[in-house]
Amino acid sequence: MEVTKVRFALFFSFAALIPGLWANIAEFDDFWKQREEEAWNITLATYEPNPENVTNHFNYNVNKFLKETSANQTIDFEDGITNNTRRYLRGKHKKYTGPCMATNPIDRCWRCKKNWAKNRKRLAKCVLGFGHRTHGGSKGKYYVVTDNSDHDVLNPKPGTLRHAVIQKRPLWIIFARTMHIKLSQELIIQSHKTIDGRGADVHIAYGAGFTLQFVHNVIIHNIHIHRIVPSSGGLIRDSEDHFGYRTVGDGDGISIFGSSNIWLDHISMSECHDGLIDAIQGSTAITISNCHFTHHDAVMLLGASDSYSKDQFMQVTLAFNHFGKELLQRMPRCRWGFFHVVNNDYTHWKMYAIGGSMHPTIISQGNL
Ligand SMILES: *[C@@H]1O[C@H](CO)[C@@H](O)[C@H](O)[C@H]1NC(C)=O
Ligand SMILES: *[C@@H]1O[C@H](CO)[C@@H](O)[C@H](O)[C@H]1NC(C)=O
Ligand SMILES: *[C@@H]1O[C@H](CO)[C@@H](O)[C@H](O)[C@H]1NC(C)=O
Ligand SMILES: *[C@@H]1O[C@H](CO)[C@@H](O)[C@H](O)[C@H]1NC(C)=O
């Protein structure tokens, strides 16, 4: 009896340890050690020692936007506009049906511009907050995803999303048409990529989610990610010139692991098996904006471990997001780092909205 107990204890503690430290990588070989070291160097270089500069710059832009729009009176808000940084919203349950409207400085930079489809890369200039240096694949060519299948994760077929994201060169990835993609394993994305779903209705659903592991400079924009389930693991190609054995995936929507300069914008997320978004293990320089979250328990985890002090370099802006129906907790749950949670709209929360431990700095402004 005693022996069985000990075995159980060991089993559980390893089970809890391995996913965090090893990140679904079955064999942490020289390749991954090198990637980890490079990523850590980039995290240190990207870290902003005066985070107030970034939050002030962000707030300056919001104020400027509000002043200009109120002067032009192009936006008809129910509550009018005051001088604080709070963004005013339309009344409950009233779906806006008028002309295209940009209600914040990030959106104004690209949205409602007639030529956006000819000038997609302009988007890369629009990001504000800690992810402000993210330009994704703007220096690369366009890659058009034409095939929604994901049958071969070791040698992905050209034209699939998986084939696009494993390329090492910068790429601006767009979609030929509306498509539903069921990922058969986690989608392991390389650095210098933009995934731009504008003009199509792109759903990543009923399969595995996105993994950003030891990478930098990635934009994900205008897609839906929902009903993500755990993946079985196995041999998966993570770049043109490397593949490896992966363990079981947790079923996160987007997992950001040891990565920096990440911008997630206009993503609709719901009902994933684990978290909707995790940013952990020394990730930094992240902006999550204009996203819509619904129907989920643990929404967003920023720093997973009380003992992982490298997360003190984590800096995240969370702005203009809508935390909608049926959410329980972690909007977000923060550890260690510096978090600007600004102008988000919370429909409600069943346990708590913003929480933290391990002395994080959380600047919460104009949320409602
Ligand atoms: C990371 O930075 C250290 C210290 O500057 C340097 O010695 C090392 O070569 C760098 N490693 C990689 C993989 O870039
Ligand atoms: C950030 O703010 C500090 C203190 O006001 C200032 O000395 C520094 O030049 C600023 N840095 C940048 C990059 O703006
Ligand atoms: C407000 O009007 C000015 C001058 O016509 C224009 O330059 C600016 O873009 C307008 N701002 C918005 C938010 O429409
Ligand atoms: C906003 O600030 C301006 C200038 O400081 C002031 O004239 C105005 O009355 C303020 N508006 C409100 C609604 O507080």
Side-chain angles (χ1 to χ4, degrees):
M1 196 62 210
E2 212 48 53
V3 175
T4 330
K5 256 190 201 159
V6 170
R7 276 210 195 120
F8 267 111
L10 273 178
F11 174 76
F12 283 119
S13 63
F14 276 116
L17 215 63
I18 292 167
L21 288 179
W22 296 74
N24 301 0
I25 301 165
E27 197 191 346
F28 211 87
D29 55 10
D30 286 346
F31 174 86
W32 282 112
K33 281 186 195 131
Q34 167 90 11
R35 286 277 302 273
E36 182 183 31
E37 194 182 316
E38 276 168 15
W40 178 240
N41 284 1
I42 294 169
T43 289
L44 292 180
T46 311
Y47 169 75
E48 170 60 62
N50 294 304
E52 299 78 12
N53 291 16
V54 176
T55 56
N56 289 342
H57 182 254
F58 184 95
N59 290 344
Y60 166 81
N61 275 282
V62 173
N63 280 315
K64 187 163 163 268
F65 173 84
L66 287 176
K67 277 202 189 105
E68 288 170 11
T69 47
S70 78
N72 291 11
Q73 299 202 321
T74 51
I75 296 184
D76 182 21
F77 289 116
E78 267 189 1
D79 295 322
I81 288 167
T82 60
N83 284 340
N84 63 23
T85 57
R86 173 168 281 199
R87 176 184 55 144
Y88 279 83
L89 300 168
R90 273 167 271 121
K92 263 190 179 172
H93 310 303
K94 280 187 205 158
K95 200 162 174 108
Y96 179 77
T97 52
C100 178
M101 192 163 86
T103 57
N104 66 62
I106 296 179
D107 272 0
R108 180 173 60 173
C109 167
W110 66 272
R111 211 176 184 186
C112 310
K113 301 219 185 289
K114 286 198 185 78
N115 63 347
W116 68 266
K118 290 203 177 91
N119 197 10
R120 283 177 179 267
K121 290 181 182 177
R122 180 189 171 85
L123 181 70
K125 297 197 167 80
C126 300
V127 55
L128 295 170
F130 286 108
H132 70 102
R133 291 193 190 85
T134 313
H135 54 85
S138 64
K139 291 183 179 152
K141 292 191 171 161
Y142 286 103
Y143 186 111
V144 184
V145 176
T146 53
D147 181 338
N148 72 339
S149 74
D150 189 33
H151 301 311
D152 191 344
V153 297
L154 200 52
N155 293 299
K157 210 164 124 194
T160 60
L161 179 59
R162 191 177 295 278
H163 185 263
V165 300
I166 61 166
Q167 305 301 315
K168 292 174 85 170
R169 62 190 189 278
L171 283 176
W172 195 280
I173 300 162
I174 61 175
F175 297 82
R177 56 189 157 80
T178 288
M179 53 179 84
H180 287 237
I181 299 176
K182 181 179 171 185
L183 296 169
S184 51
Q185 297 282 3
E186 52 182 321
L187 187 84
I188 307 176
I189 300 170
Q190 278 291 320
S191 298
H192 310 299
K193 298 289 175 295
T194 301
I195 297 178
D196 174 3
R198 284 176 294 175
D201 191 15
V202 177
H203 291 254
I204 308 295
Y206 302 104
F210 285 9
T211 299
L212 301 168
Q213 192 161 63
F214 303 133
V215 294
H216 55 279
N217 191 25
V218 175
I219 300 173
I220 303 174
H221 179 82
N222 229 300
I223 61 171
H224 303 255
I225 300 179
H226 51 104
R227 296 176 178 81
I228 299 304
V229 296
S231 51
S232 59
L235 279 179
I236 304 178
R237 184 168 293 278
D238 47 68
S239 91
E240 285 165 278
D241 57 1
H242 185 264
F243 61 86
Y245 206 81
R246 310 281 299 184
T247 57
V248 172
D250 298 342
D252 288 317
I254 299 177
S255 161
I256 304 172
F257 191 103
S259 296
S260 48
N261 287 315
I262 307 294
W263 181 28
L264 309 180
D265 190 54
H266 282 282
I267 307 182
S268 295
M269 303 184 81
S270 61
E271 292 180 85
C272 296
H273 184 264
D274 197 11
L276 291 183
I277 299 174
D278 277 10
I280 62 171
Q281 299 289 116
S283 297
T284 197
I286 299 169
T287 295
I288 300 172
S289 51
N290 295 304
C291 292
H292 184 196
F293 307 105
T294 65
H295 299 94
H296 197 79
D297 179 352
V299 179
M300 200 183 296
L301 182 65
L302 306 176
S305 163
D306 285 350
S307 59
Y308 194 80
S309 62
K310 283 179 168 179
D311 278 340
Q312 66 189 276
F313 294 99
M314 181 178 287
Q315 295 177 322
V316 182
T317 301
L318 212 61
F320 316 126
N321 297 292
H322 178 35
F323 293 90
K325 277 183 251 176
E326 297 298 319
L327 299 175
L328 263 67
Q329 56 175 325
R330 299 191 184 169
M331 304 173 230
R333 165 77 165 87
C334 310
R335 284 187 174 88
W336 292 102
F338 191 106
F339 306 91
H340 193 200
V341 183
V342 55
N343 289 191
N344 298 286
D345 173 33
Y346 292 83
T347 297
H348 65 168
W349 51 85
K350 294 195 170 172
M351 283 170 69
Y352 68 89
I354 302 172
S357 63
M358 298 315 287
H359 52 80
T361 306
I362 302 175
I363 314 280
S364 169
Q365 291 181 297
N367 298 298
L368 88 162

